[in-house]
Amino acid sequence: MWAFVLASAVLIAVPGPNMVYIVTRAAAHGRRAGLLSALGVEAGTLAHVGLAVAGVAALLAASPVASGAIRWAGVGYLLWLGLRALRPRPAAAAPSVPIVPESAGRMFRDGVLVNLLNPKVGLFFLAFLPQFATTQAGLLVHGAVFFALALAVDLGYALAGAAVGDRLRVGGRWPGVIHLALAGYAALA
């Protein structure tokens, strides 16, 4: 288990699209948005673990069409998030005032979808978890450990992003640009 924890910690520590997404949301919309986004992303991780344990990730890996469809759905969703963030705001909203998303449920859902629509995460669990556990129960335990580690790190990213946003009084359209950049990355990766 210690080898798994160490390997997981190394993989989680490497910044990636989820970290950029969480920090962007927290910096633009505040601590609450960042924390809810992190919780959503990691709920998506739990779903990926469950899919890997159930064998669905293996089916996706074997089907380039299904995997590609999920990938392009993810690209489309990131594009939609980016374009939504770039929409003109009412004149009363000052650029230095963060725009608060509509609801906690929406912030959480966006995080879940950003993670779920990334087929590479599912393939990662398909390739990574079986190296450390061979039974379904073992895969679930290891997946839960990975989830706990990733959640702790992502919550830290959310708090750091909120602190940066508070410090710089960021707002404006840069979150939309970052979402569009993440969509480009997902399309090319």
Side-chain angles (χ1 to χ4, degrees):
M1 180 61 82
W2 288 111
F4 175 78
V5 169
L6 180 61
S8 295
V10 169
L11 291 170
I12 292 165
V14 175
N18 284 346
M19 183 273 304
V20 172
Y21 172 76
I22 292 165
V23 170
T24 300
R25 291 290 294 239
H29 304 291
R31 180 176 39 181
R32 178 175 177 256
L35 293 174
L36 286 166
S37 296
L39 289 172
V41 164
E42 292 313 324
T45 294
L46 282 179
H48 277 294
V49 169
L51 292 171
V53 170
V56 175
L59 292 174
L60 286 175
S63 172
V65 172
S67 186
I70 290 172
R71 175 177 167 228
W72 287 107
V75 168
Y77 191 68
L78 286 167
L79 285 170
W80 179 77
L81 287 175
L83 293 173
R84 185 179 78 188
L86 290 174
R87 281 190 316 217
R89 293 179 278 151
S96 64
V97 177
I99 301 168
V100 180
E102 291 178 17
S103 70
R106 183 181 203 167
M107 290 180 270
F108 180 82
R109 182 200 69 209
D110 286 351
V112 171
L113 289 174
V114 162
N115 194 325
L116 277 181
L117 294 175
N118 183 352
K120 291 180 184 177
V121 176
L123 296 176
F124 163 78
F125 283 113
L126 177 67
F128 186 67
L129 285 180
Q131 294 181 40
F132 297 94
T134 55
T135 65
Q136 284 187 321
L139 292 171
L140 281 173
V141 168
H142 283 74
V145 168
F146 186 93
F147 162 79
L149 291 170
L151 179 62
V153 170
D154 284 352
L155 291 174
Y157 284 142
L159 295 174
V164 167
D166 290 345
R167 185 94 171 187
L168 298 175
R169 296 280 182 233
V170 296
R173 296 184 171 188
W174 66 270
V177 173
I178 291 176
H179 285 116
L180 292 176
L182 285 173
Y185 172 79
L188 298 174

